[in-house]
Amino acid sequence: MDIVIKPSDLKYKYPKDIQNREEPKFSGIPDPTPFNRDDLYDVIPMMEAVMKALESSDGRVLHLLEDILNTMPFFFVTREEVYACLLETARDQLSR
């Protein structure tokens, strides 16, 4: 299932790092590249990947992921660390 997220689907507004928008974005594990939480062009592919792994297109799940991202400790630095944290935390919260 392919998930396509538009900026208008997001709960929060994220700045755009226009200078780096053409750089490769998250496409799966492994990816040791640092994740930019303040870049819409990094946030959307990450959210799409996690939503796909969760097999969900529910907007409430997307907003949950955003809440997790925005409260996640900053020691999660790489894209693969952020992905793993988002996925496991969301699975835990959704199973309650």
Side-chain angles (χ1 to χ4, degrees), residues 40-93:
L40 179 68
Y41 302 119
D42 250 4
V43 170
I44 287 180
M46 178 65 67
M47 295 299 174
E48 288 174 342
V50 177
M51 294 285 289
K52 183 176 181 177
L54 293 170
E55 298 180 344
S56 176
S57 60
D58 188 330
R60 293 172 296 182
V61 174
L62 175 61
H63 293 168
L64 170 66
L65 292 175
E66 285 188 89
D67 289 339
I68 295 166
L69 177 66
N70 286 293
T71 58
M72 180 185 301
F74 282 93
F75 58 78
F76 293 104
V77 177
T78 67
R79 289 176 179 163
E80 58 194 6
E81 291 171 336
V82 171
Y83 174 82
C85 180
L86 284 170
L87 185 58
E88 292 308 313
T89 305
R91 281 183 176 155
D92 180 56
Q93 291 189 18

Side-chain angles (χ1 to χ4, degrees), residues 1-67:
M1 156 175 35
D2 282 340
I3 304 291
V4 177
I5 297 173
K6 299 176 294 205
S8 61
D9 296 331
L10 299 171
K11 180 177 178 178
Y12 300 105
K13 300 291 182 205
Y14 300 90
K16 298 174 186 172
D17 184 358
I18 294 173
Q19 184 175 8
N20 293 313
R21 78 174 159 198
E22 298 303 323
E23 295 295 318
K25 301 303 176 191
F26 181 75
S27 61
I29 301 293
D31 189 344
T33 307
F35 179 72
N36 185 350
R37 300 170 192 225
D38 296 317
D39 177 17
L40 179 68
Y41 302 119
D42 250 4
V43 170
I44 287 180
M46 178 65 67
M47 295 299 174
E48 288 174 342
V50 177
M51 294 285 289
K52 183 176 181 177
L54 293 170
E55 298 180 344
S56 176
S57 60
D58 188 330
R60 293 172 296 182
V61 174
L62 175 61
H63 293 168
L64 170 66
L65 292 175
E66 285 188 89
D67 289 339

